[in-house]
Amino acid sequence: MPRFNYKEKYTITPCILLIVLLMCSICLVAIGGTILSDESKGIPRFTMVSIGAFALTIGVLIVIMILFAVCIKLPIYIFFLAVIFILHVVLGSLALAATSKYDGDIYTVVKKVFDDYVNNPQVDDKKTVVDIVQQDFKCCGVEGPQYWNSSGFKQYPTSCYKHNSFDNALYEEGCVSSFEKSIIPKFRAVGGIAIAMTLVEGFGIVYCYILVNSDPEEWQRLLA
């Protein structure tokens, strides 16, 4: 019977896992960047931590760790998988938890942005934030254009119109709804990717552990 090729298995399978993790990490970096972009438009985050910053940081960290993983020994490789497994569990839990309780939180943070401007219309920075939010999310008011009527404005801000001009169509959707449609699917994507990565990492940890313990003497020789 041919001898089991430990060195080949050690090389190929962990490398496949690293490639899968690398691809998922790049997705995390991309989505985390778009979430940060949404958050930078002036609407405060409504979660305990910034999901975008967390996803981006973990994605970049894992990419860096993967680049070094090709030259580390198996025990360190298993430790590396365990660390990123924990990080992804935390990230996935935070992202998915945020999607289950976002309704009131998003309304509160968006309304505060608009109310701050209504209460201090002479402050240019507050007006700029509202204009950026309405133009970038293609919305008008908190729950619709009627917000401006009830706030005592005689006309809608120009940012309520397409291309920031009174000559164009008025945005009818409120900024709460528009912001939800933009950021919540991204949270779900981050949560889904993070959970999927934990499955890959969990398999990798179990696989490597079993492989090491299948013939400790052979592994000691290979890792020496």
Side-chain angles (χ1 to χ4, degrees), residues 54-128:
F54 196 10
L56 184 62
T57 301
I58 290 179
V60 171
L61 177 63
I62 293 173
V63 169
I64 294 173
M65 293 174 73
I66 286 174
L67 295 178
F68 285 99
V70 297
C71 57
I72 63 178
K73 294 184 177 181
L74 190 62
I76 301 175
Y77 177 89
I78 296 175
F79 174 76
F80 154 69
L81 283 179
V83 170
I84 63 176
F85 176 85
I86 294 171
L87 289 175
H88 281 125
V89 169
V90 174
L91 175 61
S93 300
L94 289 174
L96 295 178
T99 65
S100 65
K101 61 171 187 176
Y102 66 85
D103 288 333
D105 295 333
I106 289 184
Y107 177 83
T108 299
V109 297
V110 172
K111 190 172 188 303
K112 186 178 185 305
V113 168
F114 281 77
D115 287 348
D116 283 348
Y117 167 57
V118 169
N119 295 329
N120 301 278
Q122 71 281 1
V123 180
D124 291 338
D125 289 346
K126 298 183 183 299
K127 179 181 184 302
T128 299

Side-chain angles (χ1 to χ4, degrees), residues 22 35 43 49 54 65 86 89 92 104 109-110 131 134 156 161 169 198 200 204-205 222:
L22 179 61
I35 293 175
I43 298 178
V49 297
F54 196 10
M65 293 174 73
I86 294 171
V89 169
V109 297
V110 172
D131 287 339
Q134 293 191 144
Y156 305 127
Y161 296 84
T198 62
V200 175
I205 293 170
L222 288 174

